[in-house]
Amino acid sequence: MLSNTEIAKKLLEIRTLMEMAGESFYKYMAYEKAAASVENAPPLRDLVAAGEHLKLPGVGKSIGAAIEQLVTSGGAEQLDLLYQRFPPSLIEVLGVSGIGTKTAAMLFTEYGIASLADLEAAIAAGTLTSVPRLGSKTIENWKRGILAYKGRQRRTPLPQALAIARQVVAHLQAGPPLERLAFAGSLRRAEVTVGDIDIVCTSQHAADVIGHFAQWPRAEAVLAEGPTKASIWLSGGLQIDLRVLPDHLYGNLLQHFTGSREHNIKLREYAVRRNLRVSENGILNLENGEVITCTDEEGVYAALGMQFIPPELRSGLDEIELARARTLPVLIQSADLRGDFHMHTTWSDGDDTLEAMTAAAAARGYEYHAISDHSRGRARRFGMGADELRRQREEIAAASARYGIRTLQASEVDILPDGSLDLDDDVLAELDVVVASVHTATSQSREQMTERLIRACQNRYVTILGHPTGRRFDSSRGYEFDYDAVFAAAARTGTALEIDGQAARLDLPAPLARLAKSYGVTLALDSDAHRTGDLAAIEFAVGQARRAGLGKADVLNARSLDDVLAFVARKRNAA
DNA sequence: GCCGTTTTCGGCCCGACTGTTTTCAGTCG
C-alpha cells in the first residue's frame, strides 16, 4: 500500500516524464500541484475509499483517476505509457544538480544515456565533449553533482536541520554587519523533514555577507554565488541557500523565501487577478506602476487584502481562501503550553534524575508536568512495576514541593500485543495520568494493530495514546492501522492522542493530527524527553500542531491543571 | 489538467544565477 508521500512521488514522476515528452507546461504543472496537495492530505487510501480524493485542491478527473489506480494497484496506466518512451532509470539522472528535463531528454534521445551509470560512462569516455552548448565547466559540475547525488542522504529531519542552521547563523553573525536574519523555507514552515536550509537576511553589505557565507569552512562546495544570493553544499549533500536584500524589503523577502512553492504560486495567481505582481522585490501595482515594499510579512498579506497566514499553514491547500474570508484558525503557540505529560528519568531509561527533570520543567515556567517512566515491559531492565511506582511517588512529592510545580505521576505503559496493558488497572488507578504506547510486536497486521489500539483507548485509565504511529526517522516506518477507526475510538472514549516532539519521532505527523481533530480528538503535545536538555523538543510538537491547524482548545496541555484532571476523571468515571 | 467573489473558456508566479553565449535557454527554488 503506497503512502501519500509515495503517491506524491509517482505524480511528480509523471510530471517530469510529461515534460520530457513535450507536453504543455500547464498540463504537467497540474501534476506538480496535485502532488503537493497529496502530501498534506489525509491518507489517500481512506479518501479514495470514500470518493473524497476529488475534493483535494488541484485534483480533477484525470489526476483523480491516476490516484485511484496508484492506491489500488501501486501503478498508473499513464505512467506505464510514459515508461514506453523514457525508461524509469532516467529519473535518477535528473537527481544530478544542474541536469533538468530538457538536458535529460536530449541525453537520452541523442546519446542513449538512460541511467546515471550511462552518464558516468559517457563522461569518462569523453563522448560528450562534442555536444553543442556543453562546455568543460558544465561537465565538471555534473561530475560533482553525481558524487553529491550518490552520497546524499534523504531529506533531513527538522531537528537535525535546525541544529545545522544555527551553526550557519553563528557563522553569519560573526561576519559583516547584518540587520535582520531569519530561517525561511521548510524549516520555518516546520515541515517534518527539510530538503535544504533557506536563510534570509537584510544588510547594507550584501556582497560581503555573501562572500563570508561562501567561505564557511564547513561548505564542501559553492554551487552558486551572485550579488544577492548564494548556495553551498555540505558534505552529505545538504544544501544551504542564502538571500540578502536591503532591510526595507524584509517582509517581501521573508514571505518569498518561506514558500511553500505552491503557496506562493497560489498567492501570486490571486494577486495577478487583482493586477498586482508579487515577488521578493515588492508588490508591483500593474495599473499605476507603484511598488509596495513591506518591512514585515504582515504587510505583504495585508496589501493583498487578507489575514496574515502563519508559515506553518502555507502549504498551498486552502489557506488563501481562509485568509481572504478571515477565518484562519488561531493556532496554538508555545506560550499557551502549561505543562508536558511525557518525560523519563533515571527511574527508567532517562539520563537525568527526577529532581533534575522537575527543576527543568519548573524552569520552563510550567504549571504542571508528568513523570512518565516506562512500565516494566518485555525484558526492559529499568521499567517500573507497582513497588517502584509507590516509592517514586514519595520522591515526586518532595521534588514537586521544592520546585513549586505540580508534578503528576504518570507511566508510559506498554500496550501489549493483544491491546491489554503492562500494568494492572489497580496500579494505573493510583496514577494521575497514563500514557499508553506500542513498543513491541510492531509488525502486526493492520487489522490486529487497529484492534490493539482501540482496545487501549477503551481502557478507562488510558489518558493519552503515546506516539500513535510508531514511526521513527532513524529506524522504523511505523505500523499500519485504520486511522479513522482508531481516531473515532479516541474521540468516543475521551482519550487524547499525542504529538511526540522527540527528534526521531514527530508523531503524530501534521496531516494525521488534522484528521484526528476532525474527529473531535484532543491532542497532547509532549517532549518525550530523556534528559533535561530535551524538554525543549516540545517545540517540534507545537510546530506539527500548528501545521495541523490546532488551536488552544484542541490541546490538553494548554488547559489548566484542574481542567486536565477533570479530563482524566471524566474518562475514568464514564466507563 | 485544473479552476472561477469580473471567467465554465481562457487563463495559468516570478526572479536569480550559470554557462556559453553576443541575447538567452536551462535550471532552480
Side-chain angles (χ1 to χ4, degrees):
Chain A
M1 183 62 59
L2 297 184
S3 69
N4 280 23
T5 305
E6 288 162 334
I7 289 172
K9 221 175 133 193
K10 293 276 186 193
L11 291 175
L12 286 177
E13 207 169 305
I14 293 175
R15 171 238 185 270
T16 301
L17 293 171
M18 280 173 82
E19 184 180 355
M20 289 205 278
E23 289 281 8
S24 92
F25 175 83
Y26 296 110
K27 200 164 161 182
Y28 64 72
M29 277 303 288
Y31 281 81
E32 183 173 322
K33 290 182 183 182
S37 196
V38 160
E39 279 274 15
N40 294 292
L44 279 171
R45 161 195 191 126
D46 305 323
L47 283 187
V48 168
E52 288 188 350
H53 59 297
L54 294 173
K55 289 184 188 162
L56 291 175
V59 176
K61 242 174 120 183
S62 301
I63 298 180
I67 289 176
E68 271 176 51
Q69 292 172 22
L70 287 167
V71 165
T72 51
S73 72
E77 210 178 332
Q78 205 171 3
L79 195 54
D80 294 336
L81 285 174
L82 286 162
Y83 281 158
Q84 287 173 13
R85 292 194 60 178
F86 300 103
S89 56
L90 197 54
I91 296 290
E92 68 190 16
V93 173
L94 290 157
V96 177
S97 181
I99 298 185
T101 48
K102 295 269 174 16
T103 308
M106 180 274 289
L107 289 173
F108 176 65
T109 50
E110 309 275 323
Y111 301 91
I113 291 170
S115 68
L116 204 57
D118 288 352
L119 178 62
E120 283 185 284
I123 291 173
T127 49
L128 297 178
T129 47
S130 58
V131 179
R133 297 189 60 87
L134 205 59
S136 57
K137 267 189 165 177
T138 303
I139 297 285
E140 283 311 305
N141 284 341
W142 287 2
K143 280 188 188 170
R144 200 176 56 189
I146 291 169
L147 286 177
Y149 176 81
K150 288 180 165 175
R152 188 184 307 162
Q153 0 167 318
R154 283 193 294 264
R155 288 173 65 91
T156 310
L158 175 66
Q160 221 172 302
L162 195 57
I164 296 169
R166 290 192 173 122
Q167 294 173 22
V168 187
V169 168
H171 171 69
L172 286 174
Q173 283 170 337
L178 307 174
E179 287 169 63
R180 284 186 279 180
L181 176 145
F183 300 139
S186 46
L187 204 59
R188 181 156 182 255
R189 300 196 310 275
E191 285 203 25
V192 166
T193 60
V194 305
D196 58 13
I197 293 174
D198 294 304
I199 298 175
V200 299
C201 71
T202 55
S203 172
Q204 295 174 26
H205 314 275
D208 296 339
V209 173
I210 295 286
H212 180 72
F213 170 68
Q215 281 160 24
W216 193 35
R218 282 196 57 190
E220 187 90 345
V222 178
L223 276 175
E225 187 177 353
T228 70
K229 183 179 164 181
S231 300
I232 59 173
W233 252 338
L234 304 189
S235 60
L238 185 64
Q239 184 179 327
I240 306 177
D241 299 330
L242 175 71
R243 186 76 192 271
V244 190
L245 286 179
D247 197 61
H248 70 277
L249 287 169
Y250 183 75
N252 308 90
L253 170 68
L254 185 56
Q255 194 289 320
H256 166 74
F257 251 57
T258 296
S260 66
R261 182 176 155 80
E262 299 306 325
H263 172 80
N264 280 355
I265 289 175
K266 284 197 171 181
L267 191 75
R268 291 164 185 197
E269 280 175 354
Y270 170 70
V272 163
R273 291 198 290 273
R274 304 185 62 175
N275 272 324
L276 298 169
R277 180 186 288 167
V278 176
S279 81
E280 65 269 43
N281 298 319
I283 302 175
L284 171 65
N285 186 324
L286 293 167
E287 280 168 5
N288 59 19
E290 280 177 15
V291 176
I292 305 166
T293 61
C294 306
T295 56
D296 58 37
E297 247 187 349
E298 283 77 1
V300 176
Y301 290 95
L304 296 173
M306 62 181 79
Q307 246 182 319
F308 173 74
I309 302 178
E312 296 91 340
L313 293 183
R314 299 181 198 167
S315 60
L317 285 180
D318 57 356
E319 69 276 7
I320 290 170
E321 289 79 359
L322 295 176
R324 280 165 56 193
R326 309 209 162 258
T327 52
L328 282 173
V330 178
L331 301 183
I332 182 87
Q333 306 178 47
S334 304
D336 295 328
L337 295 183
R338 298 177 173 217
D340 181 345
F341 297 118
H342 192 162
M343 64 191 69
H344 299 268
T345 74
T346 48
W347 279 90
S348 65
D349 61 348
D351 290 343
D352 286 318
T353 62
L354 191 152
E355 172 158 356
M357 293 299 280
T358 302
R364 287 185 64 82
Y366 291 147
E367 179 183 343
Y368 54 84
H369 73 126
I371 298 292
S372 54
D373 279 308
H374 287 285
S375 63
R376 201 178 302 279
R378 248 186 6 184
R380 190 175 280 130
R381 278 189 305 154
F382 301 113
M384 301 176 72
D387 291 343
E388 289 85 357
L389 284 167
R390 208 163 296 134
R391 282 191 283 122
Q392 190 192 46
R393 203 161 303 149
E394 294 164 21
E395 196 176 322
I396 283 178
S400 185
R402 192 168 314 135
Y403 295 102
I405 179 172
R406 174 66 185 273
T407 303
L408 303 169
Q409 187 177 36
S411 168
E412 183 180 10
V413 57
D414 275 15
I415 302 173
L416 302 176
D418 66 353
S420 66
L421 300 182
D422 188 35
L423 290 171
D424 292 334
D425 279 2
D426 57 336
V427 178
L428 297 177
E430 295 190 16
L431 300 171
D432 299 305
V433 167
V434 174
V435 180
S437 309
V438 167
H439 292 113
T440 57
T442 54
S443 55
Q444 280 182 331
S445 72
R446 176 179 154 100
E447 289 70 27
Q448 283 177 312
M449 191 58 81
T450 302
E451 271 308 299
R452 182 180 181 181
L453 293 173
I454 290 176
R455 198 172 157 205
C457 287
Q458 285 168 341
N459 183 304
R460 68 201 296 184
Y461 296 106
V462 170
T463 319
I464 299 165
L465 211 54
H467 45 74
T469 76
R471 70 149 184 204
R472 289 184 66 100
F473 294 121
D474 50 0
S475 55
S476 168
R477 194 186 148 162
Y479 33 83
E480 282 196 33
F481 60 90
D482 181 339
Y483 301 118
D484 294 281
V486 171
F487 294 174
R492 194 170 58 239
T493 57
T495 310
L497 294 178
E498 183 177 64
I499 300 180
D500 185 316
Q502 195 185 128
R505 293 191 182 273
L506 302 187
D507 177 16
L508 290 174
L512 288 181
R514 187 181 282 270
L515 182 66
K517 175 180 163 145
S518 76
Y519 276 92
V521 173
T522 300
L523 283 298
L525 314 188
D526 290 329
S527 67
D528 196 356
H530 286 67
R531 53 201 66 79
T532 55
D534 287 350
L535 284 173
I538 204 166
E539 300 291 340
F540 296 121
V542 173
Q544 296 313 301
R546 289 172 62 84
R547 287 179 62 78
L550 301 190
K552 243 172 108 167
D554 302 310
V555 175
L556 187 59
N557 42 324
R559 300 180 192 170
S560 70
L561 176 62
D562 285 347
D563 288 347
V564 169
L565 296 177
F567 181 88
V568 174
R570 194 155 52 240
K571 181 174 179 185
R572 290 185 181 188
N573 297 331

